Amino acid sequence: MHAYRTHSCAELRLGNVGETVRLSGWVHRRRDHGHLLFVDLRDHYGITQIVTDTESPAFQTLDRLRVESVVTIEGEVVARSPETVNANLPSGEIEVRAGAVTVQSPASELPMPVFGDADYPEEIRLKYRYLDLRREQLHANIMLRAAVIASIRRRMVEKGFTEFQTPILRVRATISSRAAFIPASSTRSPRRRRCSSS
């Protein structure tokens, strides 16, 4: 059995109701309803809603976590009531009632949120690129690009083409990367001093 998951966060359906599962991912969003805490758990594949109440030992752990913390959750798959079904999620007909929570990596306060579609200045997005790439639209773009390249490669191979990976020729940098880029001014030979005879 996988150490961190039995299913992905987009895999569970009504047919899994009653099963005890293990999921791992990022805390995408938290909603505190007083005696109930809802957590959207996100991984590479999708989102599953996690629910816990104040009587569960998992409540205290999840309640103190910031978004983007990495957790592993074990719990029972339960069906959502008809009025709470989320038709926008593949796993929207179920939720996981958390029984045990293992914090793999707690997150600090984020310089920019991952959830939502807010627009941020380019310099902020580049500085925190590791967060920017987790955002839904960018992740979807990366996955689309990978699918397009894989489709082109597959069809080219079917047509008899062969793909070659050629070596990349470049200047080997030394310990200091500046050694590969020598300013023109530093290549001039020093001037000779004139010696006068006495």
Side-chain angles (χ1 to χ4, degrees):
M1 182 180 292
H2 197 286
Y4 296 105
R5 62 170 55 89
T6 57
H7 301 78
S8 74
C9 287
E11 191 175 350
L12 298 174
R13 300 292 188 272
L14 284 175
N16 300 107
V17 169
E19 296 180 13
T20 298
V21 299
R22 181 187 300 124
L23 303 176
S24 291
W26 292 279
V27 175
H28 187 61
R29 189 169 58 158
R30 298 167 63 254
R31 300 180 300 282
D32 192 344
H33 289 196
H35 67 289
L36 285 177
L37 178 66
F38 295 93
V39 172
D40 289 342
L41 188 68
R42 183 190 82 248
D43 66 6
H44 170 69
Y45 305 97
I47 292 176
T48 295
Q49 179 170 281
I50 311 297
V51 61
T52 185
D53 56 35
T54 53
E55 297 180 1
S56 171
F59 183 92
Q60 296 298 328
T61 303
L62 290 173
D63 189 47
R64 69 171 184 265
L65 289 177
R66 290 189 171 98
V67 294
E68 293 307 298
S69 295
V70 180
V71 296
T72 298
I73 294 177
E74 294 188 39
E76 181 185 359
V77 181
V78 296
R80 296 199 201 188
S81 57
E83 63 273 12
T84 61
V85 168
N86 186 347
N88 296 322
L89 290 178
S91 61
E93 293 182 294
I94 59 91
E95 59 191 11
V96 174
R97 193 170 297 278
V101 178
T102 302
V103 181
Q104 306 293 351
S105 178
S108 303
E109 186 174 352
L110 300 180
M112 61 174 288
V114 172
F115 172 76
D117 297 322
D119 195 16
Y120 296 95
E122 185 176 0
E123 59 270 18
I124 298 296
R125 294 179 56 195
L126 291 176
K127 182 177 181 180
Y128 302 106
R129 189 64 169 167
Y130 61 95
L131 292 175
D132 192 42
L133 291 175
R134 299 182 194 179
R135 301 171 69 195
E136 184 177 0
Q137 187 57 55
L138 267 75
H139 182 263
N141 291 346
I142 291 172
M143 296 306 296
L144 176 60
R145 183 176 187 271
V148 169
I149 292 174
S151 176
I152 293 173
R153 178 175 285 115
R154 175 182 52 80
R155 285 181 287 166
M156 294 291 282
V157 169
E158 289 175 354
K159 296 292 185 181
F161 287 86
T162 301
E163 181 179 1
F164 294 93
Q165 286 78 30
T166 58
I168 299 174
L169 303 178
R170 61 178 181 178
V171 176
R172 181 182 178 185
T174 58
I175 297 175
S176 172
S177 60
R178 291 183 302 171
F181 303 98
I182 304 173
S185 60
S186 67
T187 60
R188 289 181 292 186
S189 59
R191 294 181 179 179
R192 295 181 179 178
R193 296 183 61 185
R194 290 185 178 180
C195 298
S196 59
S197 58
S198 54

